[in-house]
Every structure is written in structure tokens, then in C-alpha cells.
Amino acid sequence: MRKVSLLSIAPFVAAVAVLPAALVLSSDAHAQAKAPAAASKGPSAEEIGKRVQNFYDSTKTFKATFTQTYTIKVQNVKKESKGTVIFEKPGKMSFTYDAPNGNRVVSDGNIIRVYEKENEQMFETPVKGSQYPAALAFLMGKGQLTKDFDLKLLDAAQMKFEGGYVLEGTPREATPAYQKVLLYVDAQTNQVRRVLVLDAQGNRNRFDFSAPVVNQPVTKGEFEFTAPPGTRVIKP
């Protein structure tokens, strides 16, 4: 998939990010929070990972606007898209891309559908057989950050993210979808503001989240999608 590289299955998800997924801190007021103490005196990567996990474990739904920046290294091409993302436990997600993009990424918890408006095609993949990154899976009530990743705390100041923490996650189970994911975590709320997914080819898939809202009712039918007539449906 060329237009939607969200979760390398094809979201976010992200992703990644996801991811994700994910990086300049969003314009959210939390971005102005005071930088945490140096890593040696502050919480460990494992502790931050648990804080993030606990926050999302306590949420039923998550909604935010996003900016996705996908960089293809070999072509030196950067593509930017914007839209809205909604997650609902267990395992549901919906990415709606703003016009003129018009793409959609939807999962009802069983099937992931990736619709590419420009190419008039849609990919359908069973969730069970997909490779969506655990970096975004925790948003959907799937996976555990501290179990799925070896976490490392990076220098937030050097990463130009002084309003929080930057976690580097290396998947404990090798996957062709991505090699590493960076999570940019707000120090005050423990929410992930940005996800950056890195693959073996050096491509970067980044998601910046803003205006997050949790535990709000989701419109009926949000996780259902029927492609327009004439769309070519591709299944594995």
C-alpha cells in the first residue's frame, strides 16, 4: 500500500507510528509542561511504560486529530496527511483522512479494511493474521508495552521533546513490519502525543496526536465501512 502505511498492515496505527506513530509535540497545552528531571534521577523506562499502559487500560475509547508524516527514504519523498482517529476496546479503530485524501482505515475487531480512494481499491485483512504494531495495539486494549517491547529511555531534550519522555521500543518478537518505535509521552498525563515507527528500509511513519478525548461515546457504525461501487477489494 502506497497511500496508507499506518500500521504497516497497511493504520494507524498505527502504528506507528501508531504508531504512532509516531515527531514535534502537538500544540496541546501540555507541551508547555516543565521538563522532567534527568533520566538518571527520574523514572525508568519500565516505570514510564507502566504509567502509559495504566492510563490506556483505564480508558474505553480514545479520539484525537492526527497528522501523519510518512517518509520514504529511498525516494527521499515525504507525504503528509491529516484526519481523525478513534479507538474503542476491544480491538476497534477508525482512521478518517481529510479531503482530498479521503482514505479510510477501519477495524471492527475482526477485519481490518484499508481503503485507498485515489487507487480505487481496498485491502481486507483478518486482525488475527495482521501485523499491526503493538505500539498502537495498547490503544485498542491489545498487548502490553512492557511485555511486547524492550524499552529504553532517550534524552528528551536531545529529542526536542522537553515536555515529557521519549521511549524507544524494540519488539521482543521480530516482525517485518517495523524495527523500532518511539513513543513521545506527556509527563503530566502519561498520554502518548506522538508515535514514530521505523522500518528496516529506513522509512519513517510518524503520527502526531492532538486534542485527545477519552471515554466519550462513539457514533454507531464508526467501525464499519463499505467501499464505493467499483472499488477493487483485495484479500490475502
Side-chain angles (χ1 to χ4, degrees):
M1 279 161 285
R2 297 186 296 276
K3 295 294 180 180
V4 182
S5 293
L6 180 56
L7 299 180
S8 289
I9 49 166
F12 211 49
V13 201
V16 157
V18 111
L19 133 292
L23 296 182
V24 179
L25 181 62
S26 70
S27 57
D28 190 282
H30 293 301
Q32 304 302 321
K34 184 178 179 180
S40 60
K41 298 180 180 179
S44 67
E46 188 85 358
E47 291 172 331
I48 296 170
K50 289 180 180 179
R51 292 180 187 179
V52 172
Q53 188 70 55
N54 288 339
F55 173 83
Y56 289 102
D57 281 349
S58 68
T59 67
K60 175 64 176 178
T61 65
F62 172 87
K63 179 179 180 180
T65 56
F66 72 87
T67 298
Q68 178 184 4
T69 306
Y70 184 56
T71 303
I72 306 173
K73 183 178 181 180
V74 68
Q75 299 177 9
N76 193 28
V77 172
K78 182 180 294 186
K79 299 180 180 181
E80 182 175 291
S81 304
K82 297 179 181 293
T84 303
V85 61
I86 300 175
F87 293 101
E88 181 178 87
K89 296 177 181 177
K92 298 179 180 180
M93 67 179 176
S94 174
F95 280 78
T96 302
Y97 286 75
D98 295 343
N101 185 306
N103 292 341
R104 290 279 277 127
V105 180
V106 180
S107 173
D108 60 4
N110 297 308
I111 302 294
I112 297 175
R113 294 176 172 87
V114 181
Y115 170 63
E116 297 180 341
K117 179 180 179 181
E118 182 178 350
N119 297 323
E120 297 184 327
Q121 62 186 15
M122 182 169 71
F123 296 83
E124 291 189 355
T125 306
V127 169
K128 187 175 181 180
S130 69
Q131 296 177 332
Y132 64 84
L136 296 181
F138 69 90
L139 291 170
M140 297 178 282
K142 302 284 187 178
Q144 293 282 325
L145 286 176
T146 55
K147 293 182 180 180
D148 297 330
F149 292 93
D150 287 319
L151 298 175
K152 177 183 177 181
L153 187 60
L154 304 183
D155 188 313
Q158 289 186 1
M159 301 299 290
K160 299 181 180 180
F161 193 78
E162 297 186 24
Y165 306 103
V166 181
L167 289 177
E168 176 187 271
T170 302
R172 292 185 176 178
E173 291 188 14
T175 169
Y178 62 106
Q179 285 193 322
K180 291 182 183 296
V181 60
L182 301 186
L183 302 178
Y184 291 65
V185 181
D186 186 292
Q188 291 188 338
T189 66
N190 299 316
Q191 292 188 46
V192 174
R193 299 300 185 192
R194 183 185 302 156
V195 179
L196 176 63
V197 179
L198 309 173
D199 67 20
Q201 289 71 47
N203 302 319
R204 300 162 62 89
N205 200 7
R206 164 181 146 183
F207 292 85
D208 290 280
F209 300 108
S210 59
V213 177
V214 298
N215 295 330
Q216 292 290 316
V218 176
T219 303
K220 184 178 180 180
E222 180 65 39
F223 305 106
E224 302 171 2
F225 180 74
T226 300
T231 300
R232 183 166 62 105
V233 178
I234 302 171
K235 300 181 180 182

